[in-house]
């Protein structure tokens, strides 16, 4: 009976381990999307970690050095509309180049964690409209700062970006996918 009890115990432990593999991950646990992580943690490079935009320190800052998602592959997000021209709703000049941009330029501001402390300034990204599959490249010129009301997972695009994607600016927010170009 002792061997049988041992085998049953091992089976229970194994079953518990297997069933817990679909659970939400905690600090440094595996993840593929933001929804895989517990509470205010986010998925950074395949592991759940503190969200630098929220300022959590649940994991002790383990992933704070590079809060943006990997630039390889594609990332889902929301496209919002911004007027980067002087006097437009973008506020002051763009953070990357200290300039205003004409509405005919294909430029974007990235949400704080994707902006990654300016590491993407001046770089081109490719944006795909989930609605119609059209794509366009645009230059990163600014940060869409959450402290100023920008939501997470936002690519804030100029009117030229919206037009190139064949989208109606009256919609205000549309699902997109983006990657480094």
């Amino acid at each position: 009976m002792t061997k049988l009890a041992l085998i049953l115990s091992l089976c229970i432990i194994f079953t518990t381990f297997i069933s817990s593999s679909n659970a939400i991950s905690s600090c440094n646990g595996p993840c593929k999307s933001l929804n895989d992580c517990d509470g205010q943690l986010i998925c950074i490079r395949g592991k759940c970690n503190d969200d630098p935009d929220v300022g959590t320190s649940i994991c002790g800052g383990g992933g704070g050095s590079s809060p943006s998602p990997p630039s390889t592959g594609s990332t889902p997000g929301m496209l919002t509309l911004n007027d980067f021209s002087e006097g437009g709703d973008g506020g002051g000049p763009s953070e990357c180049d200290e300039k205003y941009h004409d509405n005919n330029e294909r430029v974007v501001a990235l949400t704080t964690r994707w902006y990654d402390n300016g590491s993407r300034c001046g770089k081109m990204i490719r944006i795909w409209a989930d609605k119609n599959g059209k794509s366009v490249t645009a230059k990163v010129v600014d940060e869409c700062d959450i402290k100023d009301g920008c939501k997470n997972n936002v690519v804030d695009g100029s009117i030229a970006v919206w037009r190139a994607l064949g989208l109606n600016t009256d919609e205000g927010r549309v699902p997109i996918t983006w990657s480094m170009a």
Side-chain angles (χ1 to χ4, degrees):
M1 283 283 211
T2 338
K3 287 183 182 181
L4 182 58
L6 179 63
I7 291 172
L8 285 175
S9 294
L10 289 174
C11 287
I12 291 171
I13 291 170
F14 181 74
T15 305
T16 303
F17 177 76
I18 294 298
S19 65
S20 69
S21 66
N22 293 329
I24 292 177
S25 290
S26 58
C27 290
N28 296 315
C31 60
K32 291 182 181 177
S33 74
L34 294 173
N35 296 329
D36 294 340
C37 299
D38 188 29
Q40 292 183 319
L41 301 178
I42 62 168
C43 188
I44 301 173
R45 291 190 173 98
K47 292 187 177 186
C48 293
N49 226 312
D50 292 313
D51 186 342
D53 291 342
V54 176
T56 59
S57 58
I58 299 163
C59 299
S65 62
S66 184
S68 60
S71 60
T72 57
S74 55
T75 305
M78 294 299 286
L79 180 67
T80 57
L81 180 63
N82 190 0
D83 182 347
F84 292 86
S85 66
E86 191 166 4
D89 59 12
S94 296
E95 193 166 314
C96 293
D97 58 10
E98 297 294 320
K99 296 179 182 174
Y100 292 99
H101 294 271
D102 186 88
N103 285 320
N104 293 319
E105 290 182 69
R106 291 189 316 246
V107 294
V108 296
L110 295 178
T111 192
T112 300
R113 69 182 169 151
W114 290 340
Y115 182 72
D116 195 22
N117 296 315
S119 72
R120 293 193 167 123
C121 276
K123 294 184 180 172
M124 300 297 287
I125 65 169
R126 178 162 296 280
I127 305 165
W128 291 269
D130 291 0
K131 188 176 201 172
N132 61 21
K134 289 184 179 183
S135 75
V136 66
T137 57
K139 184 178 182 180
V140 177
V141 297
D142 206 356
E143 175 183 13
C144 187
D145 197 331
I146 63 161
K147 293 178 210 138
D148 296 328
C150 189
K151 304 237 185 264
N152 276 329
N153 306 327
V154 165
V155 174
D156 206 16
S158 65
I159 294 169
V161 170
W162 282 71
R163 287 181 183 150
L165 291 170
L167 299 171
N168 181 352
T169 57
D170 291 335
E171 291 183 52
R173 276 177 77 85
V174 296
I176 51 104
T177 303
W178 72 275
S179 71
M180 297 306 296

